[in-house]
Amino acid sequence: MHIVFGVSEYFPLVKMGGLADFSGSFTENLAGLGHKVSVVLPGYSVIDRNRFNVESTGIRLSIPIGKKSVPGFVSRIRMSENLSVYLIENEDYFNREHLFGTEDGGYEDNAERFLFFSRAILELADRLGDVDVLHTNDWHTSIALFYLKEYYQKLGKLTGVKSILTIHNLGYQGLFWHHDMHLLNMGWEHFTPEGIEFYNYINYLKSGIVYADEITTVSPSYACEIQTAEFGFGLDGVLRSRSDHLTGILNGVNYKLWNPWFDRNIESRYSRKQFGGKLANKLNFQREMGLAEDPDTPLITIITRLTEQKGIDLILPVFDMMMELGIQFVMLGTGKNEFEDFFRGAEHRYRGRVASYIGYSEGVAHRIHAAGDIYLMPSRYEPCGLSQLYAMKYGNVPLVRLVGGLRDTVTATDRGIEQATGFGFEYYSPYTLYETLNSAVTLYRENRETFRKIARNGMKLNFSWSETVKRYLKIYKK
Ligand code: ADP
Ligand code: GLC
């Protein structure tokens, strides 16, 4: 098959979170099975063009946006024989410091930027030819599915193309006020609750949900949750109406990158059978971060976008109580100012016991998993979550809120120590988080053997891409 895969992040070219990990590994595995995969990505200026071989395709685009005709051109990076990443280049839209916006919110012209990008995906698909499947991801590319059905196919173009939308996060929808309708150059008859309207706003993600042939999301539990008012962000009704075409498929892990036995980012390699090396990583990391070097102090870790989604607001009120458990704490992340400030402050208040790395670093992320004893992920909602899967591979025992993909991937101790791979709680409250951490730390102190058993159980798991890709292929074939 020839699959055109539209996405807004792609590892190793540009990454904000798990979406990049997903798109990089998924397409690599798909192409590895012999399918032709054409990834389409915005030509962000933050992509390091010296590191990758960016060639010109000679393809020029002219995309109608309102009364304007916006020019763009297409470059290409060949990742492997069957896999190319096409960059949609436009200085005005993509030469910016950030991908989507600043701390204060999305860029003012995001409606335009991602309309341009989404229409460019279709234009490119048309030029490349012989496309079987158009696979889009999240709100940034969803509006393409509306144009595919209501514009291209009505003109007799791209008629054989079937479409898939994968929802990685329902919390971001691409909502724009109705005055932006003029940018779309499509009639107002589409601006209805059955179409792309959402309470008097244009909703890009919803347009994808309405127009996709098939919809997937990144875990079975999340596929159920998003059909309820609690997790549906207002789209639960429309998702329920499409439930016959909605499937939850768990993400895989790229174990070539995330495996402590091969990892070049860490000091000392280790595995489930040769667990000893983990201690060397812990001591080395404590030194690196200015924490007291102590093998027996439980090191609690978190690597995260600092947003409401990740349950950071549960940690703040009980942080001092957590520290009274005699732990060390390390946080790697960026995001909301208020949260960044808190962790900066915490490092000052607990010198030698708390390390806050405000920023983004792939290398530090790997070293944290290699050093850590417990990995916190108390998410408010979690479509899949990859961090807990990486944590488990590194014996950094996850402590999670049992929701979405976390529920599907972590077996908590209350289901029996023998098979447990982590600690879990359900009720969304700071004190429940604290209590769960308290019991995890107590187990670490009083019964290290059992704690290690849980760590080893997690290291044994295999969230392989081959299973995941097989499931997507089934949907493509359908
Ligand atoms: P989400 O995509 O919602 O952020 P995931 O758990 O699916 O959550 O994926 C998060 C990914 O982003 C992981 O690869 C994690 O290591 C990475 N990550 C998040 N914040 C940082 C950071 N500050 N530095 C390095 N990697 C980070
Ligand atoms: C989103 C979700 C995360 C998921 C990732 C990749 O960023 O928040 O749970 O793992 O997408 O699908």
Side-chain angles (χ1 to χ4, degrees):
M1 281 187 262
H2 178 197
I3 297 113
V4 169
F5 185 90
V7 73
S8 60
E9 298 177 37
Y10 194 85
F11 186 85
L13 304 180
V14 56
K15 168 168 167 180
M16 292 265 296
L19 178 57
D21 289 355
F22 171 89
S23 52
S25 305
F26 173 70
T27 56
E28 184 187 326
N29 279 275
L30 196 57
L33 292 177
H35 299 284
K36 179 175 166 191
V37 187
S38 305
V39 176
V40 194
L41 183 74
Y44 303 111
S45 53
V46 296
I47 295 172
D48 182 352
R49 282 153 203 265
N50 298 321
R51 221 180 114 201
F52 305 96
N53 188 14
V54 182
E55 45 185 76
S56 165
T57 61
I59 300 176
R60 302 207 152 265
L61 304 169
S62 174
I63 309 285
I65 303 283
K67 294 208 172 75
K68 296 182 287 188
S69 219
V70 180
F73 64 96
V74 184
S75 321
R76 154 153 133 169
I77 302 172
R78 278 175 209 264
M79 306 301 287
S80 63
E81 200 188 323
N82 300 333
L83 176 61
S84 288
V85 177
Y86 292 91
L87 300 176
I88 304 299
E89 313 273 12
N90 175 298
E91 280 274 313
D92 290 342
Y93 291 142
F94 301 127
N95 184 3
R96 309 226 174 146
E97 195 184 340
H98 303 281
L99 309 188
F100 312 125
T102 62
E103 226 280 306
D104 302 323
Y107 287 125
E108 298 248 343
D109 58 351
N110 270 353
E112 217 178 302
R113 296 173 77 219
F114 288 98
L115 176 62
F116 171 82
F117 175 55
S118 297
R119 293 197 64 165
I121 296 172
L122 293 164
E123 275 302 308
L124 179 62
D126 194 33
R127 310 258 184 116
L128 294 175
D130 292 327
V131 178
D132 296 298
V133 176
L134 172 64
H135 189 157
T136 62
N137 296 274
D138 279 355
W139 75 267
H140 320 88
T141 49
S142 290
I143 193 86
L145 303 185
F146 164 63
Y147 281 93
L148 176 66
K149 288 259 162 78
E150 293 288 357
Y151 184 77
Y152 283 84
Q153 294 188 336
K154 286 191 172 165
L155 288 177
K157 290 181 171 184
L158 298 171
T159 45
V161 176
K162 294 291 173 189
S163 62
I164 298 214
L165 165 67
T166 297
I167 299 173
H168 299 267
N169 198 330
L170 200 64
Y172 303 88
Q173 300 181 359
L175 277 180
F176 306 105
W177 68 340
H178 60 278
H179 291 295
D180 283 337
M181 265 307 279
H182 76 96
L183 298 172
L184 273 58
N185 295 312
M186 297 290 280
W188 279 94
E189 70 271 20
H190 301 292
F191 193 73
T192 63
E194 293 70 42
I196 65 175
E197 186 210 334
F198 182 76
Y199 301 102
N200 219 21
Y201 282 80
I202 307 164
N203 187 323
Y204 280 14
L205 183 63
K206 182 183 172 193
S207 77
I209 296 172
V210 170
Y211 283 98
D213 289 316
E214 291 292 324
I215 304 162
T216 66
T217 187
V218 288
S219 70
S221 283
Y222 196 59
C224 296
E225 288 168 355
I226 55 178
Q227 298 182 56
T228 67
E230 188 186 352
F231 294 99
F233 286 97
L235 291 177
D236 42 300
V238 61
L239 284 161
R240 278 196 303 276
S241 77
R242 300 233 49 206
S243 62
D244 289 350
H245 298 275
L246 170 61
T247 318
I249 303 176
L250 212 55
N251 289 338
V253 170
N254 184 346
Y255 290 114
K256 281 184 283 179
L257 297 173
W258 296 97
N259 183 340
W261 191 244
F262 300 114
D263 196 333
R264 289 165 189 272
N265 296 286
I266 66 179
E267 168 92 356
S268 173
R269 304 193 183 170
Y270 65 99
S271 68
R272 190 166 65 89
K273 295 213 172 93
Q274 297 185 32
F275 199 70
K278 187 163 172 68
L279 186 60
N281 287 302
K282 179 171 175 178
L283 294 171
N284 187 61
F285 185 74
Q286 286 171 324
R287 203 161 42 239
E288 175 184 342
M289 288 287 150
L291 299 170
E293 279 173 63
D294 178 0
D296 289 320
T297 301
L299 178 59
I300 314 304
T301 59
I302 183 166
I303 303 164
T304 188
R305 293 182 292 112
L306 293 169
T307 63
E308 309 292 348
Q309 177 196 342
K310 299 297 177 179
I312 310 299
D313 55 329
L314 293 191
I315 298 176
L316 270 45
V318 289
F319 191 79
D320 291 329
M321 283 167 68
M322 282 164 49
M323 292 310 296
E324 274 168 34
L325 297 172
I327 60 168
Q328 290 183 350
F329 190 93
V330 56
M331 194 291 302
L332 164 64
T334 54
K336 226 176 140 179
N337 284 338
E338 174 198 334
F339 294 148
E340 290 186 355
D341 287 345
F342 177 87
F343 287 110
R344 260 188 217 105
E347 185 178 84
H348 274 280
R349 289 190 292 126
Y350 295 98
R351 280 258 170 251
R353 293 184 58 207
V354 173
S356 301
Y357 189 114
I358 313 285
Y360 186 91
S361 167
E362 247 349 273
V364 174
H366 284 252
R367 290 202 289 284
I368 287 180
H369 284 308
D373 296 305
I374 295 173
Y375 185 78
L376 288 191
M377 206 152 162
S379 305
R380 187 179 285 268
Y381 69 93
E382 197 59 71
C384 176
L386 291 167
S387 285
Q388 83 281 11
L389 307 182
Y390 303 154
M392 284 192 279
K393 188 68 196 174
Y394 284 72
N396 187 15
V397 181
L399 187 166
V400 305
R401 174 151 183 256
L402 295 162
V403 70
L406 297 169
R407 178 193 292 282
D408 293 345
T409 56
V410 176
T411 306
T413 45
D414 57 2
R415 289 176 42 199
I417 292 279
E418 270 310 301
Q419 68 251 30
T421 60
F423 302 90
F425 65 99
E426 288 190 31
Y427 183 57
Y428 193 80
S429 92
Y431 195 71
T432 322
L433 166 65
Y434 168 78
E435 274 299 305
T436 314
L437 182 66
N438 189 5
S439 59
V441 167
T442 306
L443 186 69
Y444 178 93
R445 288 230 168 81
E446 292 176 2
N447 195 341
R448 192 73 53 90
E449 260 322 294
T450 304
F451 188 92
R452 287 263 156 82
K453 166 110 183 76
I454 297 171
R456 285 208 182 88
N457 285 347
M459 295 177 84
K460 223 182 337 191
L461 299 179
N462 180 13
F463 294 91
S464 86
W465 268 110
S466 59
E467 219 12 75
T468 302
V469 169
K470 244 190 248 159
R471 301 216 166 131
Y472 277 94
L473 278 171
K474 224 165 141 187
I475 292 182
Y476 287 174
K477 283 179 183 148
K478 181 173 161 192

